[in-house]
Amino acid sequence: MTLAAATNEHLASISNTLIYSSMAVYTLAFFAYIAEWLFGSRSKVGRTAAALTQKPGAKAPAVTVQSAGGTAVLERPKVVVRSAAGARDVPDGPGAHGGDEQGDLYGRIAVSLTVLAFAVEAGGVVARALSVERAPWGNMYEFNITFSTVAVAVYLSLLALKKNIRWLGLPLVTTVLLDLGLAVTVLYTASDQLVPALHSYWLYIHVSTAIFCGAVFYVGAVGTLMYLFKDNYENKLANGGQPGRFATSVMERLPASASLDKFSYRVNAAAFPLWTFTIIAGAIWAGDAWGRYWGWDPKETWAFITWVAYACYLHARATAGWKGRKAAYIALIAFACWLFNYYGVNIFVTGKHSYAGV
């Protein structure tokens, strides 16, 4: 074995170690996010939310809040569900910690652990790139570890911009752990060189934007799911319904449905032009590699279907009659198309984009 080969093998081993280490840290972050939600459920917001679901005619108890040096008794708050017919006036919730100091502490610990896990995972991706002496995007294993790294980077960037999205931490870390678990068990592929068709600077342009778009679309999809849950909760309250205590405790801490809807729309709208560029860059690369710009290869076809689905969502979202839940369903269908384009096409369909087994 040559010195270069031995060095590359050592770097590949370091990469694997770092990926497993990041999974361990993500697991700690997962439990910290769980603790944030649990302590938040016992906070003033949780008790207030429980008071809001009293049976009609029952006397609502006052809300008691323990604080340093004494006890404060608050009257049951008045919640305005709608400011006018067809429009809600619901404030954003405080977040997963629910205003509880200990819950907030666990939330900040969770974010710190997420930052550490992100740094370790990013180191694993870099080590993988050094071991193969190329961009680490030659197979599904490499795509998975890079995708989860970028998804966490998007989340941390939004936090750094002071966006109220710490509620995203728990579903994000859960997904990342599932993604990495799938990568190291089912999708793992030993370090190897690329097929000749992939030796192009377009690999850095096309695949990097595809990964970034996927990460942003994922964040938008989680926001859309949360919007559907919160909108259903607000509808139930507006119609005089009585949500369960668990649902109330969770939903009262999330942003208002209008805020979640706006967040998801802006995230998806920001990524859509980049997805358009991804398809165009892929077509140009195909022209260089295969002598044709478009051949309706399965990967190309589903990339186009994904583009059409997101275009329909953005159009529906901008149309008055299709705002809200109808547009949200289209957004989820669009993200499902993106997922199938990656997992379904790569695993179950053979085409020109099939490389290195998976």
Side-chain angles (χ1 to χ4, degrees):
M1 181 182 293
T2 64
L3 178 60
T7 301
N8 289 344
E9 184 176 339
H10 180 62
L11 287 170
S13 177
I14 292 175
S15 172
N16 294 340
T17 301
L18 289 173
I19 295 300
Y20 278 105
S21 299
S22 71
M23 292 176 67
V25 183
Y26 278 127
T27 301
L28 294 176
F30 170 81
F31 286 115
Y33 282 118
I34 289 288
E36 178 186 19
W37 279 96
L38 288 177
F39 279 98
S41 69
R42 303 192 302 179
S43 69
K44 178 182 73 173
V45 170
R47 289 188 292 270
T48 303
L52 295 178
T53 57
Q54 292 292 316
K55 294 181 179 180
K59 183 178 180 181
V63 181
T64 303
V65 181
Q66 297 290 340
S67 59
T71 301
V73 179
L74 304 179
E75 293 299 325
R76 179 188 178 191
K78 180 181 179 182
V79 175
V80 179
V81 179
R82 293 179 183 271
S83 58
R88 292 194 183 96
D89 184 17
V90 180
D92 290 342
H97 57 82
D100 181 86
E101 290 186 8
Q102 197 166 8
D104 183 58
L105 173 62
Y106 278 109
R108 287 186 278 115
I109 291 174
V111 172
S112 299
L113 289 170
T114 304
V115 172
L116 176 60
F118 163 75
V120 174
E121 186 183 9
V125 173
V126 172
R128 176 76 176 198
L130 294 174
S131 72
V132 294
E133 301 178 350
R134 57 169 172 77
W137 310 320
N139 50 62
M140 287 184 69
Y141 168 74
E142 295 174 354
F143 193 100
N144 264 40
I145 61 176
T146 306
F147 169 77
S148 58
T149 304
V150 175
V152 175
V154 172
Y155 166 67
L156 294 177
S157 298
L158 290 172
L159 282 179
L161 294 173
K162 308 298 183 182
K163 302 298 182 181
N164 178 24
I165 60 153
R166 208 161 78 187
W167 50 267
L168 181 63
L170 182 57
L172 172 71
V173 169
T174 303
T175 304
V176 167
L177 283 171
L178 292 173
D179 177 79
L180 292 178
L182 181 65
V184 300
T185 56
V186 178
L187 302 177
Y188 181 78
T189 304
S191 301
D192 200 1
Q193 295 303 309
L194 297 173
V195 297
L198 294 182
H199 284 287
S200 170
Y201 61 89
W202 283 106
L203 172 69
Y204 297 90
I205 300 172
H206 172 66
V207 182
S208 63
T209 53
I211 292 173
F212 179 76
C213 287
V216 177
F217 284 149
Y218 164 78
V219 172
V222 175
T224 300
L225 275 174
M226 294 300 102
Y227 157 73
L228 289 172
F229 286 125
K230 188 63 183 280
D231 183 67
N232 183 66
Y233 171 78
E234 291 178 2
N235 279 335
K236 196 167 187 178
L237 283 180
N239 294 324
Q242 301 174 33
R245 178 171 296 184
F246 175 79
T248 301
S249 177
V250 173
M251 292 296 116
E252 286 293 328
R253 287 179 273 164
L254 290 176
S257 63
S259 298
L260 290 168
D261 185 36
K262 185 184 298 182
F263 169 76
S264 303
Y265 171 71
R266 288 178 174 176
V267 166
N268 288 323
F272 182 73
L274 281 176
W275 185 248
T276 304
F277 172 77
T278 300
I279 295 176
I280 294 173
I284 297 173
W285 188 8
D288 290 342
W290 302 319
R292 53 88 173 149
Y293 293 102
W294 195 268
W296 296 105
D297 179 78
K299 180 71 71 173
E300 298 168 351
T301 301
W302 276 95
F304 178 69
I305 291 173
T306 302
W307 183 89
V308 171
Y310 273 107
C312 289
Y313 161 70
L314 295 176
H315 175 72
R317 181 59 175 71
T319 303
W322 280 81
K323 286 183 179 179
R325 300 183 69 87
K326 292 180 180 179
Y329 291 136
I330 299 176
L332 292 181
I333 291 172
F335 184 67
C337 290
W338 186 91
L339 284 178
F340 181 79
N341 183 37
Y342 175 51
Y343 288 103
V345 172
N346 282 17
I347 295 175
F348 303 112
V349 183
T350 301
K352 284 185 172 292
H353 287 78
S354 302
Y355 302 114
V358 292

PDB file of all heavy atoms in Angstrom, residues 191-212:
ATOM      1  N   SER A 191     -14.831   4.643   0.566  1.00  0.00           N
ATOM      2  CA  SER A 191     -14.258   5.719  -0.242  1.00  0.00           C
ATOM      3  C   SER A 191     -13.812   5.180  -1.590  1.00  0.00           C
ATOM      4  O   SER A 191     -13.164   4.139  -1.681  1.00  0.00           O
ATOM      5  CB  SER A 191     -13.070   6.358   0.484  1.00  0.00           C
ATOM      6  OG  SER A 191     -13.471   6.879   1.725  1.00  0.00           O
ATOM      7  N   ASP A 192     -14.175   5.892  -2.634  1.00  0.00           N
ATOM      8  CA  ASP A 192     -13.813   5.469  -3.990  1.00  0.00           C
ATOM      9  C   ASP A 192     -13.802   6.694  -4.880  1.00  0.00           C
ATOM     10  O   ASP A 192     -14.318   7.757  -4.522  1.00  0.00           O
ATOM     11  CB  ASP A 192     -14.815   4.434  -4.508  1.00  0.00           C
ATOM     12  CG  ASP A 192     -14.252   3.619  -5.668  1.00  0.00           C
ATOM     13  OD1 ASP A 192     -13.082   3.872  -6.039  1.00  0.00           O
ATOM     14  OD2 ASP A 192     -14.978   2.752  -6.195  1.00  0.00           O
ATOM     15  N   GLN A 193     -13.226   6.524  -6.063  1.00  0.00           N
ATOM     16  CA  GLN A 193     -13.160   7.629  -7.006  1.00  0.00           C
ATOM     17  C   GLN A 193     -14.435   7.697  -7.843  1.00  0.00           C
ATOM     18  O   GLN A 193     -15.190   6.731  -7.942  1.00  0.00           O
ATOM     19  CB  GLN A 193     -11.933   7.483  -7.916  1.00  0.00           C
ATOM     20  CG  GLN A 193     -10.619   7.596  -7.164  1.00  0.00           C
ATOM     21  CD  GLN A 193     -10.506   8.903  -6.398  1.00  0.00           C
ATOM     22  OE1 GLN A 193     -10.720   9.976  -6.944  1.00  0.00           O
ATOM     23  NE2 GLN A 193     -10.180   8.803  -5.110  1.00  0.00           N
ATOM     24  N   LEU A 194     -14.642   8.843  -8.454  1.00  0.00           N
ATOM     25  CA  LEU A 194     -15.837   9.064  -9.257  1.00  0.00           C
ATOM     26  C   LEU A 194     -15.710   8.427 -10.631  1.00  0.00           C
ATOM     27  O   LEU A 194     -14.601   8.218 -11.137  1.00  0.00           O
ATOM     28  CB  LEU A 194     -16.079  10.565  -9.427  1.00  0.00           C
ATOM     29  CG  LEU A 194     -16.373  11.372  -8.161  1.00  0.00           C
ATOM     30  CD1 LEU A 194     -16.424  12.848  -8.500  1.00  0.00           C
ATOM     31  CD2 LEU A 194     -17.668  10.925  -7.523  1.00  0.00           C
ATOM     32  N   VAL A 195     -16.862   8.128 -11.217  1.00  0.00           N
ATOM     33  CA  VAL A 195     -16.862   7.697 -12.615  1.00  0.00           C
ATOM     34  C   VAL A 195     -16.478   8.897 -13.473  1.00  0.00           C
ATOM     35  O   VAL A 195     -16.648  10.052 -13.071  1.00  0.00           O
ATOM     36  CB  VAL A 195     -18.253   7.159 -13.019  1.00  0.00           C
ATOM     37  CG1 VAL A 195     -18.595   5.933 -12.201  1.00  0.00           C
ATOM     38  CG2 VAL A 195     -19.318   8.234 -12.851  1.00  0.00           C
ATOM     39  N   PRO A 196     -15.954   8.664 -14.683  1.00  0.00           N
ATOM     40  CA  PRO A 196     -15.460   9.776 -15.512  1.00  0.00           C
ATOM     41  C   PRO A 196     -16.474  10.881 -15.746  1.00  0.00           C
ATOM     42  O   PRO A 196     -16.116  12.057 -15.804  1.00  0.00           O
ATOM     43  CB  PRO A 196     -15.082   9.070 -16.826  1.00  0.00           C
ATOM     44  CG  PRO A 196     -14.734   7.676 -16.407  1.00  0.00           C
ATOM     45  CD  PRO A 196     -15.663   7.344 -15.281  1.00  0.00           C
ATOM     46  N   ALA A 197     -17.761  10.533 -15.867  1.00  0.00           N
ATOM     47  CA  ALA A 197     -18.779  11.548 -16.172  1.00  0.00           C
ATOM     48  C   ALA A 197     -18.895  12.599 -15.078  1.00  0.00           C
ATOM     49  O   ALA A 197     -19.353  13.723 -15.334  1.00  0.00           O
ATOM     50  CB  ALA A 197     -20.135  10.883 -16.394  1.00  0.00           C
ATOM     51  N   LEU A 198     -18.483  12.248 -13.853  1.00  0.00           N
ATOM     52  CA  LEU A 198     -18.634  13.177 -12.743  1.00  0.00           C
ATOM     53  C   LEU A 198     -17.398  14.041 -12.513  1.00  0.00           C
ATOM     54  O   LEU A 198     -17.409  14.896 -11.636  1.00  0.00           O
ATOM     55  CB  LEU A 198     -18.953  12.405 -11.452  1.00  0.00           C
ATOM     56  CG  LEU A 198     -20.297  11.672 -11.421  1.00  0.00           C
ATOM     57  CD1 LEU A 198     -20.498  10.995 -10.074  1.00  0.00           C
ATOM     58  CD2 LEU A 198     -21.449  12.618 -11.710  1.00  0.00           C
ATOM     59  N   HIS A 199     -16.356  13.813 -13.286  1.00  0.00           N
ATOM     60  CA  HIS A 199     -15.149  14.618 -13.131  1.00  0.00           C
ATOM     61  C   HIS A 199     -15.347  15.959 -13.853  1.00  0.00           C
ATOM     62  O   HIS A 199     -14.950  16.135 -15.000  1.00  0.00           O
ATOM     63  CB  HIS A 199     -13.928  13.877 -13.685  1.00  0.00           C
ATOM     64  CG  HIS A 199     -13.432  12.788 -12.787  1.00  0.00           C
ATOM     65  ND1 HIS A 199     -12.759  13.032 -11.614  1.00  0.00           N
ATOM     66  CD2 HIS A 199     -13.551  11.437 -12.881  1.00  0.00           C
ATOM     67  CE1 HIS A 199     -12.453  11.893 -11.025  1.00  0.00           C
ATOM     68  NE2 HIS A 199     -12.936  10.903 -11.769  1.00  0.00           N
ATOM     69  N   SER A 200     -15.987  16.864 -13.167  1.00  0.00           N
ATOM     70  CA  SER A 200     -16.286  18.165 -13.755  1.00  0.00           C
ATOM     71  C   SER A 200     -16.484  19.181 -12.644  1.00  0.00           C
ATOM     72  O   SER A 200     -16.924  18.843 -11.542  1.00  0.00           O
ATOM     73  CB  SER A 200     -17.549  18.077 -14.628  1.00  0.00           C
ATOM     74  OG  SER A 200     -17.980  19.362 -15.022  1.00  0.00           O
ATOM     75  N   TYR A 201     -16.156  20.443 -12.945  1.00  0.00           N
ATOM     76  CA  TYR A 201     -16.405  21.502 -11.966  1.00  0.00           C
ATOM     77  C   TYR A 201     -17.895  21.707 -11.729  1.00  0.00           C
ATOM     78  O   TYR A 201     -18.308  22.291 -10.721  1.00  0.00           O
ATOM     79  CB  TYR A 201     -15.754  22.811 -12.419  1.00  0.00           C
ATOM     80  CG  TYR A 201     -16.280  23.340 -13.737  1.00  0.00           C
ATOM     81  CD1 TYR A 201     -17.382  24.193 -13.773  1.00  0.00           C
ATOM     82  CD2 TYR A 201     -15.666  22.991 -14.943  1.00  0.00           C
ATOM     83  CE1 TYR A 201     -17.870  24.682 -14.971  1.00  0.00           C
ATOM     84  CE2 TYR A 201     -16.158  23.481 -16.146  1.00  0.00           C
ATOM     85  CZ  TYR A 201     -17.251  24.317 -16.158  1.00  0.00           C
ATOM     86  OH  TYR A 201     -17.730  24.797 -17.351  1.00  0.00           O
ATOM     87  N   TRP A 202     -18.736  21.173 -12.647  1.00  0.00           N
ATOM     88  CA  TRP A 202     -20.177  21.281 -12.464  1.00  0.00           C
ATOM     89  C   TRP A 202     -20.655  20.447 -11.277  1.00  0.00           C
ATOM     90  O   TRP A 202     -21.740  20.694 -10.740  1.00  0.00           O
ATOM     91  CB  TRP A 202     -20.919  20.839 -13.732  1.00  0.00           C
ATOM     92  CG  TRP A 202     -20.882  21.887 -14.799  1.00  0.00           C
ATOM     93  CD1 TRP A 202     -20.139  21.884 -15.932  1.00  0.00           C
ATOM     94  CD2 TRP A 202     -21.615  23.114 -14.802  1.00  0.00           C
ATOM     95  NE1 TRP A 202     -20.362  23.029 -16.658  1.00  0.00           N
ATOM     96  CE2 TRP A 202     -21.268  23.808 -15.991  1.00  0.00           C
ATOM     97  CE3 TRP A 202     -22.527  23.701 -13.939  1.00  0.00           C
ATOM     98  CZ2 TRP A 202     -21.803  25.038 -16.314  1.00  0.00           C
ATOM     99  CZ3 TRP A 202     -23.073  24.937 -14.261  1.00  0.00           C
ATOM    100  CH2 TRP A 202     -22.710  25.590 -15.438  1.00  0.00           C
ATOM    101  N   LEU A 203     -19.844  19.469 -10.855  1.00  0.00           N
ATOM    102  CA  LEU A 203     -20.195  18.705  -9.659  1.00  0.00           C
ATOM    103  C   LEU A 203     -20.318  19.635  -8.464  1.00  0.00           C
ATOM    104  O   LEU A 203     -21.259  19.522  -7.670  1.00  0.00           O
ATOM    105  CB  LEU A 203     -19.118  17.644  -9.388  1.00  0.00           C
ATOM    106  CG  LEU A 203     -19.248  16.875  -8.061  1.00  0.00           C
ATOM    107  CD1 LEU A 203     -20.459  15.964  -8.090  1.00  0.00           C
ATOM    108  CD2 LEU A 203     -17.980  16.066  -7.781  1.00  0.00           C
ATOM    109  N   TYR A 204     -19.391  20.571  -8.328  1.00  0.00           N
ATOM    110  CA  TYR A 204     -19.407  21.500  -7.201  1.00  0.00           C
ATOM    111  C   TYR A 204     -20.580  22.474  -7.302  1.00  0.00           C
ATOM    112  O   TYR A 204     -21.156  22.870  -6.284  1.00  0.00           O
ATOM    113  CB  TYR A 204     -18.087  22.274  -7.147  1.00  0.00           C
ATOM    114  CG  TYR A 204     -16.883  21.398  -6.904  1.00  0.00           C
ATOM    115  CD1 TYR A 204     -16.179  20.835  -7.957  1.00  0.00           C
ATOM    116  CD2 TYR A 204     -16.461  21.117  -5.613  1.00  0.00           C
ATOM    117  CE1 TYR A 204     -15.073  20.023  -7.732  1.00  0.00           C
ATOM    118  CE2 TYR A 204     -15.363  20.313  -5.374  1.00  0.00           C
ATOM    119  CZ  TYR A 204     -14.675  19.764  -6.438  1.00  0.00           C
ATOM    120  OH  TYR A 204     -13.596  18.946  -6.202  1.00  0.00           O
ATOM    121  N   ILE A 205     -20.942  22.839  -8.512  1.00  0.00           N
ATOM    122  CA  ILE A 205     -22.016  23.815  -8.699  1.00  0.00           C
ATOM    123  C   ILE A 205     -23.385  23.159  -8.576  1.00  0.00           C
ATOM    124  O   ILE A 205     -24.237  23.590  -7.787  1.00  0.00           O
ATOM    125  CB  ILE A 205     -21.877  24.501 -10.068  1.00  0.00           C
ATOM    126  CG1 ILE A 205     -20.529  25.230 -10.166  1.00  0.00           C
ATOM    127  CG2 ILE A 205     -23.028  25.479 -10.308  1.00  0.00           C
ATOM    128  CD1 ILE A 205     -20.226  25.774 -11.555  1.00  0.00           C
ATOM    129  N   HIS A 206     -23.593  22.100  -9.339  1.00  0.00           N
ATOM    130  CA  HIS A 206     -24.909  21.457  -9.417  1.00  0.00           C
ATOM    131  C   HIS A 206     -25.277  20.749  -8.122  1.00  0.00           C
ATOM    132  O   HIS A 206     -26.370  20.969  -7.563  1.00  0.00           O
ATOM    133  CB  HIS A 206     -24.910  20.472 -10.587  1.00  0.00           C
ATOM    134  CG  HIS A 206     -26.125  19.609 -10.666  1.00  0.00           C
ATOM    135  ND1 HIS A 206     -27.381  20.101 -10.923  1.00  0.00           N
ATOM    136  CD2 HIS A 206     -26.288  18.251 -10.499  1.00  0.00           C
ATOM    137  CE1 HIS A 206     -28.260  19.114 -10.932  1.00  0.00           C
ATOM    138  NE2 HIS A 206     -27.620  17.982 -10.676  1.00  0.00           N
ATOM    139  N   VAL A 207     -24.405  19.899  -7.619  1.00  0.00           N
ATOM    140  CA  VAL A 207     -24.752  19.080  -6.452  1.00  0.00           C
ATOM    141  C   VAL A 207     -24.803  19.920  -5.182  1.00  0.00           C
ATOM    142  O   VAL A 207     -25.657  19.697  -4.316  1.00  0.00           O
ATOM    143  CB  VAL A 207     -23.758  17.909  -6.298  1.00  0.00           C
ATOM    144  CG1 VAL A 207     -24.147  17.038  -5.110  1.00  0.00           C
ATOM    145  CG2 VAL A 207     -23.716  17.074  -7.568  1.00  0.00           C
ATOM    146  N   SER A 208     -23.921  20.891  -5.051  1.00  0.00           N
ATOM    147  CA  SER A 208     -23.942  21.723  -3.838  1.00  0.00           C
ATOM    148  C   SER A 208     -25.251  22.491  -3.724  1.00  0.00           C
ATOM    149  O   SER A 208     -25.833  22.588  -2.637  1.00  0.00           O
ATOM    150  CB  SER A 208     -22.756  22.688  -3.829  1.00  0.00           C
ATOM    151  OG  SER A 208     -22.831  23.600  -4.916  1.00  0.00           O
ATOM    152  N   THR A 209     -25.745  23.036  -4.833  1.00  0.00           N
ATOM    153  CA  THR A 209     -27.019  23.756  -4.778  1.00  0.00           C
ATOM    154  C   THR A 209     -28.188  22.804  -4.545  1.00  0.00           C
ATOM    155  O   THR A 209     -29.161  23.145  -3.864  1.00  0.00           O
ATOM    156  CB  THR A 209     -27.264  24.559  -6.070  1.00  0.00           C
ATOM    157  OG1 THR A 209     -27.124  23.695  -7.213  1.00  0.00           O
ATOM    158  CG2 THR A 209     -26.268  25.698  -6.192  1.00  0.00           C
ATOM    159  N   ALA A 210     -28.088  21.578  -5.078  1.00  0.00           N
ATOM    160  CA  ALA A 210     -29.153  20.594  -4.847  1.00  0.00           C
ATOM    161  C   ALA A 210     -29.231  20.234  -3.361  1.00  0.00           C
ATOM    162  O   ALA A 210     -30.324  20.122  -2.796  1.00  0.00           O
ATOM    163  CB  ALA A 210     -28.888  19.341  -5.683  1.00  0.00           C
ATOM    164  N   ILE A 211     -28.071  20.066  -2.737  1.00  0.00           N
ATOM    165  CA  ILE A 211     -28.051  19.740  -1.311  1.00  0.00           C
ATOM    166  C   ILE A 211     -28.610  20.896  -0.496  1.00  0.00           C
ATOM    167  O   ILE A 211     -29.428  20.697   0.419  1.00  0.00           O
ATOM    168  CB  ILE A 211     -26.612  19.400  -0.863  1.00  0.00           C
ATOM    169  CG1 ILE A 211     -26.154  18.089  -1.497  1.00  0.00           C
ATOM    170  CG2 ILE A 211     -26.529  19.312   0.662  1.00  0.00           C
ATOM    171  CD1 ILE A 211     -24.697  17.774  -1.240  1.00  0.00           C
ATOM    172  N   PHE A 212     -28.183  22.104  -0.810  1.00  0.00           N
ATOM    173  CA  PHE A 212     -28.669  23.267  -0.063  1.00  0.00           C
ATOM    174  C   PHE A 212     -30.174  23.428  -0.224  1.00  0.00           C
ATOM    175  O   PHE A 212     -30.894  23.692   0.759  1.00  0.00           O
ATOM    176  CB  PHE A 212     -27.946  24.532  -0.536  1.00  0.00           C
ATOM    177  CG  PHE A 212     -28.405  25.772   0.169  1.00  0.00           C
ATOM    178  CD1 PHE A 212     -27.985  26.037   1.471  1.00  0.00           C
ATOM    179  CD2 PHE A 212     -29.247  26.675  -0.451  1.00  0.00           C
ATOM    180  CE1 PHE A 212     -28.412  27.173   2.138  1.00  0.00           C
ATOM    181  CE2 PHE A 212     -29.678  27.817   0.208  1.00  0.00           C
ATOM    182  CZ  PHE A 212     -29.251  28.060   1.503  1.00  0.00           C
TER     183      PHE A 212
END
